[in-house]
Amino acid sequence: MQEFFQWAGNFWWLIFPIMGMAGGAAKAWERGSKRRHERRLETLKVKAQLKTAEIEARALTQQAKRRGPSVVDTTASVAPNDLVARLFTEHDEITARWLDYELDVAKLIAFPAMSDGRQPLTAAFLRAKKTADALRPSSADAKVSEQQVTEYLQAVGDYAVAFEIAEKDARRLRDSTFTEPERKRLERAQQLLKVAVDESATQAERNVAYKRVREELDGLILLSDDAVTVLEKQVARELPAQASTSTDASTDAAPAPAPAAEPQPLPITDPLRPAPPRTLPREDA
């Protein structure tokens, strides 16, 4: 015991870095707990909203059953059209938010986890999307059973929760899953992308920048065909400034029209004045 106190007396200064490390670990654990708590609250909120909509649909279904005959056609629509329409709207909004990441190369570079199916949360979101798309009715007026509406309601709720969680995790991770050389390549790709879509740059500069962007992202981020098509349209669009400049240049380069020849005055003859005598050629002797 005496040896321990002697060692502690010699190395008493270690208490300060140990306390700093402990404080940092405590703060990290607190931030993680706060994020987990926020996710649980969001999940409970979405589930409560979906549960309320489900209760409303079942109440309307019970009223329809009491008014209708004793034998109910399970293939008939038992859900109000506005409920299915609201589900369609929420489904489309989530898909549009996902397409913002899928088609925007700048967002893909900033948050690469949103396109990486190897990330567990992103993979869970993609599975939820596939399920919601499969259970979606053909239209809001389509005849669906109560079970189909309930399944679609649950699928849209899972789809919304999975997207929110995957998006927050992607914004948290950013490029932390890449190595230092890979991060530098992503940073160069971001800078080159700004040139590739810059309307003030020449077409040649934009083409070169676009080619460099594809080279930097090769092996790091897989761009979908739709994202490549959108980017190519942005790179190849006509430059207004360049078009006006070329028009002015062509106008300046056009040769000026030759001035019209001035009309020569016609000889005026006096009818009272005799015409001059004609001079005949002299014959050689």
Side-chain angles (χ1 to χ4, degrees):
M1 196 67 180
Q2 185 178 0
E3 295 178 356
F4 172 77
F5 285 112
Q6 184 178 1
W7 178 86
N10 294 331
F11 297 95
W12 59 270
W13 51 270
L14 290 176
I15 190 66
F16 298 104
I18 292 175
M19 290 178 61
M21 294 171 59
K27 289 183 179 179
W29 182 85
E30 183 180 358
R31 287 195 298 267
S33 299
K34 186 177 180 181
R35 285 196 298 268
R36 289 191 296 270
H37 180 65
E38 290 176 352
R39 290 178 183 176
R40 283 196 295 268
L41 289 179
E42 291 174 358
T43 303
L44 292 175
K45 182 180 178 181
V46 173
K47 286 185 177 180
Q49 293 175 352
L50 296 175
K51 191 65 177 179
T52 302
E54 184 178 356
I55 292 173
E56 293 177 357
R58 288 183 178 179
L60 294 174
T61 301
Q62 294 297 330
Q63 293 177 5
K65 286 182 178 180
R66 285 194 296 267
R67 289 194 303 264
S70 57
V71 178
V72 180
D73 185 6
T74 57
T75 61
S77 177
V78 295
N81 292 336
D82 59 345
L83 172 61
V84 180
R86 288 202 305 269
L87 291 174
F88 275 15
T89 302
E90 184 176 1
H91 191 165
D92 293 339
E93 286 178 356
I94 301 169
T95 302
R97 291 173 61 186
W98 170 69
L99 287 176
D100 283 342
Y101 291 96
E102 188 69 13
L103 301 181
D104 192 342
V105 179
K107 280 191 173 182
L108 281 178
I109 297 175
F111 312 107
M114 285 301 293
S115 63
D116 190 357
R118 296 171 298 179
Q119 297 294 330
L121 297 178
T122 304
F125 158 72
L126 294 175
R127 288 194 298 268
K129 179 183 183 301
K130 184 177 180 180
T131 302
D133 292 343
L135 295 176
R136 177 172 179 148
S138 58
S139 66
D141 300 329
K143 293 183 177 181
V144 290
S145 64
E146 180 183 359
Q147 182 180 0
Q148 289 175 320
V149 175
T150 303
E151 291 177 352
Y152 181 53
L153 185 67
Q154 182 65 36
V156 172
D158 295 341
Y159 185 32
V161 173
F163 176 80
E164 293 289 343
I165 295 175
E167 183 182 36
K168 288 186 177 181
D169 189 66
R171 290 181 175 272
R172 178 184 64 84
L173 290 175
R174 289 186 175 269
D175 58 356
S176 60
T177 58
F178 294 90
T179 62
E180 185 62 27
E182 292 173 340
R183 292 195 195 101
K184 291 182 179 180
R185 290 177 57 186
L186 291 176
E187 186 176 350
R188 287 194 298 268
Q190 285 180 328
Q191 299 299 326
L192 291 167
L193 183 62
K194 294 178 181 179
V195 178
V197 298
D198 187 4
E199 294 184 357
S200 63
T202 64
Q203 190 62 53
E205 292 173 342
R206 294 165 69 175
N207 291 338
V208 172
Y210 166 73
K211 183 179 179 182
R212 293 277 309 278
V213 169
R214 297 296 304 273
E215 291 175 355
E216 294 292 348
L217 296 181
D218 186 23
L220 297 181
I221 298 177
L222 179 62
L223 301 179
S224 63
D225 295 338
D226 294 335
V228 173
T229 301
V230 172
L231 180 58
E232 288 179 348
K233 288 181 179 179
Q234 293 176 345
V235 174
R237 62 187 171 186
E238 184 178 358
L239 302 178
Q242 185 177 1
S244 61
T245 303
S246 61
T247 304
D248 297 340
S250 61
T251 304
D252 297 339
E262 296 182 358
Q264 298 295 331
L266 298 175
I268 302 176
T269 58
D270 188 355
L272 301 179
R273 183 178 180 181
R278 295 178 59 187
T279 303
L280 298 175
R282 187 176 55 183
E283 296 180 357
D284 295 334

